[in-house]
Structure formats: structure tokens, C-alpha cells
Amino acid sequence: MTVPTDSIVYLNGEMLPIADARIPVLDRGFIFGDGVYEVIPVYGGKPFRAQEHLARLARSLDAIGIPNPHDEAGWRALIADLMRANPMPDQMVYIQVTRGVARRMHAFPKDATPTVFLMASPMALPPAAAVERGVACVTMEDRRWLHCQIKSTSLLGNVLAAQTAASHGVTEAIQFRDGLLTEASASNVWVVRNGAVAAPTKDNRILEGIRYGLIEELCEGFGIPLVARDIPRDEVFAADEVLLSSASKEILPVVTIDGRTIGSGKPGPVFRQLYSAYQHAKRG
Ligand SMILES: Cc1ncc(COP(=O)(O)O)c(C=O)c1O
């Protein structure tokens, strides 16, 4: 996401140019990564699946004991203000809430006020070639903590995984924990075999993507069988299709992993069906 230098951001009650937005160095987001975030895609001026994103934000805040600064209507109003200040029909709205500013000590401070930050970025979807021809990935051991269901700003594990992918010149690093598929550095992973879709179980080992729920709905609508279960490494390599999903990647077909061809080496029929349904859904 490139952020234009003239973009207007929201910080603690104020709309201001991003270059003028400042947080104190003792903000616990800066010191400890003590915060959570959301990334909401906006298509045609409408936040897509905002209710689900805001519900996940509420769950993340609740999981780490930060009082939610706004109810759903309050968040929606802030997002609308931000979009008015950054008029782009398609964009990504980033929301971050930290525990706030306090003397540095690990345990929660008693009286900190959460820091609330929102920014708007131009939508940067994957290039058409990635959608048409598919993308390459590498695998790695998942060495992150075991609260991956929280969309935490403590993202060092994901940063290192993304860098592993970048250093191999591929799109994503697909991670395994104890030989079982978890997720990629910033996306959920789907495995298709004989027309049926499998995904890792929604538990503390993965972030439940908002597209996870959407893909469940789309599969149900198409009558495509979908199960959430443990997926051993061999099954990923033996799949007919492997897919990635995230707000910024939407749905992407994976055609090689660790240099090995997946399925036919081309985006498959389940990808095509889900991708076109996603394009339809996002335009409302
Ligand atoms: C670790 C991780 N898993 C999964 C996802 C997919 O979530 P969503 O579909 O809500 O973008 C993301 C999104 O950034 C992510 O960072």
C-alpha cells in the first residue's frame, strides 16, 4: 500500500495530513506492539463487509483487554469521514487501536486512553497476470505465537515470513506448524482436491480472514463441499488447486510452491468460480 503524502488521516479525534500526524514515543503500540488493527477494502465508495471487519476488530480488542473506543455506528461514521477526506472510490481503510500512552512497564497501565488511528490508501490489487496465470509461493515453519486469531499489530513473525517470500521473489510464504497448514504471512490458504475445498480450522493458529467467511458462503451457494480441518503438508502439494485470500489479494491462485507445480500449473475451475463470484459480491 502506498500512502500519498497528501493523504488525510484520523488520529485521536482529529483529521490531519499524514505528515502532521504524531504519536508520543511512549505509545504502547510503538513500545510493545500492544494494539490491534483492521484493513477494510472499499469498492465503489462502499466499505466491503464492514460489519464483519468491525466485529473482528471488537473481538481483537476484547481478546487483549482494550476497551473498544467506538460502537459499530461510531466506527462507520469515522470511516465515512475518512473517505470524505480522501475521495477515492476504491481504497483500503486501515484502522489501528493501541492501548495508548503510559510509562513503560509491561503489565496494562490503569489509566491509558486508547490511541485510535485511521488511514486511507489507494487500492492496490494484484496485477492481472497474477490472477490469470497464478502465483508462486514458498513454504516455511510457522514460528509465530499461538494467538494468531487476534489481528495484532505485533506482526514480527508475519513480517519475517513475508520477507522470506520476498527474498525468494514469490508472492507468499505458506506456513506449517507441526506439519499442518496454518496460513500465509498475510493471507488464508485454501486447498482444492476433486472439487472439494479444505481450509485450516478456525482456531488460535490462524487469523479468521473476512474472506474466510465469504468463501464459506460462496462455496455453500455453489454447492462446493468445504471442510475446515487439519491439512497435512503432503495434501497441499497433492492439491488440484491452492488459493490465497485476503483483503488486498482478494482470491489468488497458487501454481507453484517451493518450485513444485500445483495441479495443472494453471488457475483451476474452483478458483475461477470463486474469483468471479468475489468480483460480483464486491460490487454489491
Ligand atoms: C495473517 C493473516 N491471515 C489471514 C488474512 C486474511 O484476512 P482478510 O480476509 O480479513 O484480509 C490476513 C489479512 O491480512 C492476515 O494478515
Side-chain angles (χ1 to χ4, degrees):
M1 275 188 230
T2 45
V3 178
T5 47
D6 60 348
S7 92
I8 301 296
V9 301
Y10 172 91
L11 180 62
N12 295 333
E14 258 190 285
M15 290 284 179
L16 71 178
I18 190 161
D20 298 337
R22 297 274 184 274
I23 56 154
V25 290
L26 283 178
D27 192 286
R28 289 176 63 100
F30 177 61
I31 295 283
F32 294 120
D34 186 358
V36 298
Y37 74 108
E38 273 300 323
V39 179
I40 308 178
V42 174
Y43 298 108
K46 291 203 190 88
F48 185 50
R49 298 240 146 188
Q51 189 185 355
E52 289 83 353
H53 279 281
L54 295 172
R56 184 172 66 183
L57 177 63
R59 288 199 301 278
S60 295
L61 287 165
D62 189 52
I64 67 166
I66 295 180
N68 194 338
H70 301 287
D71 59 13
E72 187 187 320
W75 284 117
R76 281 181 183 273
L78 279 188
I79 292 168
D81 287 349
L82 184 78
M83 289 181 353
R84 257 191 301 280
N86 298 275
M88 297 177 272
D90 292 359
Q91 58 176 285
M92 289 290 193
V93 170
Y94 176 90
I95 302 178
Q96 176 168 334
V97 183
T98 78
R99 203 177 304 277
V101 179
R103 185 168 65 86
R104 185 185 181 283
M105 53 172 223
H106 288 57
F108 300 173
K110 289 209 168 50
D111 50 6
T113 305
T115 298
V116 178
F117 172 63
L118 279 79
M119 68 176 164
S121 309
M123 173 80 69
L125 291 179
V131 176
E132 280 151 28
R133 294 205 283 276
V135 300
C137 292
V138 289
T139 63
M140 63 182 285
E141 182 65 22
D142 193 338
R143 297 204 179 84
R144 299 171 304 157
W145 72 335
L146 279 165
H147 297 286
C148 298
Q149 82 282 11
I150 302 170
K151 199 162 168 70
S152 161
T153 57
S154 301
L155 282 172
L156 193 49
N158 305 63
V159 166
L160 295 177
Q163 186 53 34
T164 298
S167 64
H168 284 86
V170 300
T171 298
E172 263 288 27
I174 296 178
Q175 302 174 100
F176 293 86
R177 195 187 284 278
D178 303 325
L180 302 175
L181 174 64
T182 55
E183 60 183 346
S185 78
S187 41
N188 290 119
V189 182
W190 307 80
V191 172
V192 185
R193 176 91 195 192
N194 297 330
V197 178
T201 313
K202 292 179 241 176
D203 60 21
N204 61 307
R205 293 172 294 180
I206 65 165
L207 181 76
E208 182 184 337
I210 300 311
R211 268 124 296 272
Y212 193 122
L214 178 57
I215 288 172
E216 283 179 316
E217 285 171 28
L218 295 177
C219 284
E220 198 183 337
F222 285 127
I224 299 172
L226 186 154
V227 278
R229 58 172 171 81
D230 284 348
I231 301 172
R233 189 181 168 88
D234 290 355
E235 266 193 50
V236 176
F237 284 97
D240 300 328
E241 299 180 45
V242 173
L243 315 178
L244 303 173
S245 68
S246 78
S248 55
K249 293 187 185 67
E250 298 190 332
I251 305 178
L252 272 187
V254 177
V255 291
T256 72
I257 303 179
D258 293 341
R260 290 160 63 182
T261 301
I262 300 301
S264 67
K266 295 199 179 95
V270 173
F271 163 71
R272 291 196 192 291
Q273 208 172 1
L274 293 176
Y275 181 81
S276 82
Y278 190 92
Q279 299 309 308
H280 192 254
K282 80 181 194 188
R283 295 291 170 203

